Amino acid sequence: VSCRATRARLSAYLDRDLPPLEAQRVAAHLAGCAGCVGRFRSLQRAVELLGELPLVENSESIASRVLDRLELESRGPGLALLFRPIGSARPLILPSLIPAALVLVTILVGALALDHKGTSAWERGWGTEADPVFPSGGVSAPRIRERGPADDVLAGMGEGTLFLETVVARDGSVSNVTLLAGDSRTALPLLEALRKDRFEPGRFAGRPVAVSVYRLISRMDVWARIT
Amino acid sequence: VSKVTPIEVAMAEMALRSGEVLVSASTSERGLVELCQRGDAQAFARLVALHEGMVLNLAARLLGDLEEARDLSQDVFLQVYRTLGGFEGRSSLKTWIYRIVVNQCRNRRRFFRRRRKDRSLTLDELKPKDAAKLATEEAHEGSPFEQVSRIERAERVQKALLQLSFEHRAILLLREVEALSCEQISAALAIPGGTVKSRLARARESLRRILVSGLEGGRA
């Protein structure tokens, strides 16, 4: 038997797994071949060394860890859902989220833009003396608190009609009176008198705002017929 | 359900390690499996306690990393728990568990190899009492293998094992460390009996060559 054929059978020979005749041939070759004997001994030793490997230390109970994990899973779908990989459980969830996300983004962007506009309009001076607002559902009308000499001035005036715009400032004073229609010469004392009126200012969302008020003042002397 | 004392568990482990069949009214394998299949948590705890030593040992030697092996051992028993219903008893429970260990190690190795920092089993991972015992048993005679302590020898063998291919490492550990027969290995690795013998011969030769070249390299 050649060295090569012997070496191919060394593993089976070691396990006593060869038919008797083959085993005898291998034994006979080994008896006369130092190289193959060396090979056989090192193979035998390698196998023995594997068997001598010490047991790995088992410092903690795997059983208790496994039971803990099983208990965690058996607590119902509440926790299990948390640990479940979403993609594999519901493969369509990501594609279906895309339109939802787009709608959400659109709404958010719109809301932010509107909010931004509102804020800036307020900051730009909406409701200030330079840009007064008109009384409406959200804006309360100013109420008179203290009358100036306007009534006295009116009493001394002749017949006529005046159309006026009065701006009531945020502090309740009259910041501006403009004559829109009527005789400006006769109206002048009245305009001065109206500036001295004091108001409870108009408010928007609790904040005082400058409000523009239009007034039509008509004076007519009525003479009783003499009978 | 009768309780199993630590001594019984230890005895059962020894019996399983030496390849003997464990026959006892309280711990018979079939009865235990049936209890587990009916959802008996205590029975499953016993089943894990009986096999965790061998699972951890095989996983640690296959992966070369004790922490990874501990983690994997838990996954192995979770898989055992989930698939025990389909266990028909055609192979022994032990062989079936070995198969799960080898498959999980094979799968995990792919992820593991990328992040591994050349860790392998070291001295401190042996039981302290074993280390002390082994240190006193140093032999200084015979071949070069005998000229180093048993601890060093074990380290060299583990390093040599990790240089082998996974399939060679698995077959050597099942045969020489876990002492499985060729038929059991055939069932555990799902390969024909003839392949077991030829692969075993190649694996032994590869290990022999690595150990011999390591020693020659070490002496040079």
Side-chain angles (χ1 to χ4, degrees):
Chain A
V1 190
S2 68
C3 287
R4 195 177 161 181
T6 302
R7 290 179 183 187
R9 285 166 176 76
L10 286 181
S11 178
Y13 182 71
L14 191 68
D15 286 339
R16 301 174 195 279
D17 202 22
L18 287 177
L21 195 65
E22 269 191 63
Q24 278 173 23
R25 281 182 189 154
V26 170
H29 180 89
L30 287 177
C33 178
C36 285
V37 167
R39 177 71 71 94
F40 179 66
R41 286 204 179 129
S42 60
L43 188 73
Q44 201 174 20
R45 191 67 192 115
V47 168
E48 281 171 14
L49 283 169
L50 276 177
E52 285 176 15
L53 276 176
L55 275 178
V56 169
E57 183 195 2
N58 187 11
S59 57
E60 53 196 77
S61 163
I62 292 168
S64 62
R65 293 279 184 95
V66 172
L67 290 178
D68 285 349
R69 279 175 69 177
L70 284 175
E71 200 202 328
L72 190 75
E73 285 178 15
S74 69
R75 276 180 198 163
L79 276 175
L81 280 175
L82 282 178
F83 296 112
R84 179 175 66 165
I86 292 171
S88 64
R90 298 191 173 174
L92 288 178
I93 195 158
L94 283 178
S96 69
L97 280 177
I98 293 170
L102 282 175
V103 169
L104 188 69
V105 165
T106 311
I107 291 171
L108 278 175
V109 167
L112 279 173
L114 282 175
D115 189 42
H116 186 68
K117 207 172 168 184
T119 313
S120 65
W122 190 273
E123 283 164 358
R124 258 199 334 259
W126 185 85
T128 60
E129 287 70 26
D131 185 11
V133 293
F134 299 106
S136 66
V139 181
S140 65
R143 278 171 301 155
I144 191 83
R145 204 171 61 196
E146 200 180 303
R147 284 189 186 278
D151 286 349
D152 302 335
V153 175
L154 264 177
M157 282 172 68
E159 280 189 330
T161 298
L162 300 170
F163 189 42
L164 302 155
E165 185 195 8
T166 308
V167 175
V168 178
R170 284 169 288 179
D171 60 0
S173 66
V174 175
S175 66
N176 195 21
V177 181
T178 315
L179 179 68
L180 298 173
D183 185 353
S184 59
R185 280 175 300 171
T186 54
L188 205 59
L190 180 66
L191 297 187
E192 287 304 315
L194 284 173
R195 282 180 195 278
K196 293 185 175 108
D197 284 349
R198 289 292 174 269
F199 289 83
E200 184 62 38
R203 286 177 185 275
F204 176 74
R207 281 171 66 166
V209 285
V211 175
S212 173
V213 183
Y214 290 90
R215 283 197 277 190
L216 185 69
I217 298 173
S218 235
R219 185 181 161 80
M220 190 186 289
D221 288 332
V222 180
W223 299 89
R225 187 192 287 177
I226 300 166
T227 54
Chain B
V1 179
S2 62
K3 276 202 157 185
V4 175
T5 63
I7 293 170
E8 271 181 280
V9 171
M11 281 169 62
E13 274 180 23
M14 283 165 63
L16 284 166
R17 272 204 63 76
S18 62
E20 289 168 22
V21 180
L22 186 73
V23 184
S24 141
S26 61
T27 50
S28 90
E29 186 179 293
R30 188 161 293 277
L32 195 59
V33 169
E34 279 172 12
L35 283 173
C36 292
Q37 284 172 338
R38 272 183 257 148
D40 186 329
Q42 286 297 315
F44 185 66
R46 235 189 304 161
L47 185 147
V48 177
L50 279 172
H51 296 92
E52 64 177 40
M54 71 100 171
V55 167
L56 180 70
N57 201 54
L58 179 59
R61 297 289 176 203
L62 271 174
L63 295 172
D65 186 293
L66 192 56
E67 276 314 303
E68 198 72 17
R70 283 208 178 98
D71 195 41
L72 182 130
S73 299
Q74 292 182 32
D75 291 345
V76 165
F77 285 112
L78 287 175
Q79 193 180 341
V80 167
Y81 183 82
R82 290 187 189 117
T83 52
L84 201 60
F87 175 68
E88 291 165 353
R90 269 181 290 189
S91 63
S92 75
L93 180 67
K94 191 173 72 155
T95 311
W96 186 65
I97 294 176
Y98 277 130
R99 186 168 178 167
I100 295 177
V101 176
V102 172
N103 284 340
Q104 289 226 9
C105 284
R106 192 186 284 120
N107 291 338
R108 186 169 291 217
R109 203 173 47 107
R110 294 180 193 140
F111 303 98
F112 183 52
R113 225 171 2 194
R114 291 182 210 142
R115 59 188 176 85
R116 202 177 140 205
K117 293 177 208 155
D118 195 26
R119 283 196 292 165
S120 58
L121 293 172
T122 56
L123 257 180
D124 5 319
E125 284 166 346
L126 295 168
K127 286 179 191 169
K129 60 172 183 184
D130 276 8
K133 193 177 133 211
L134 294 177
T136 59
E137 282 179 8
E138 287 182 25
H140 296 279
E141 49 178 313
S143 77
F145 283 138
E146 267 57 53
Q147 291 170 14
V148 292
S149 74
R150 278 191 69 183
I151 300 167
E152 276 179 69
R153 282 205 306 259
E155 279 184 11
R156 285 187 191 187
V157 173
Q158 179 62 40
K159 273 185 189 162
L161 272 174
L162 289 174
Q163 289 177 49
L164 296 174
S165 72
F166 180 83
E167 301 305 333
H168 280 182
R169 187 156 67 242
I171 201 166
L172 281 176
L173 288 168
L174 290 178
R175 175 69 178 177
E176 319 297 357
V177 179
E178 305 298 330
L180 262 59
S181 69
C182 285
E183 290 72 30
Q184 287 173 316
I185 294 173
S186 166
L189 297 181
I191 53 174
T195 310
V196 171
K197 287 176 186 174
S198 57
R199 189 183 290 176
L200 184 62
R202 283 198 302 275
R204 282 170 169 172
E205 174 57 21
S206 300
L207 180 73
R208 186 199 68 83
R209 208 174 295 158
I210 292 169
L211 286 173
V212 167
S213 68
L215 281 169
E216 282 166 357
R219 276 184 296 178

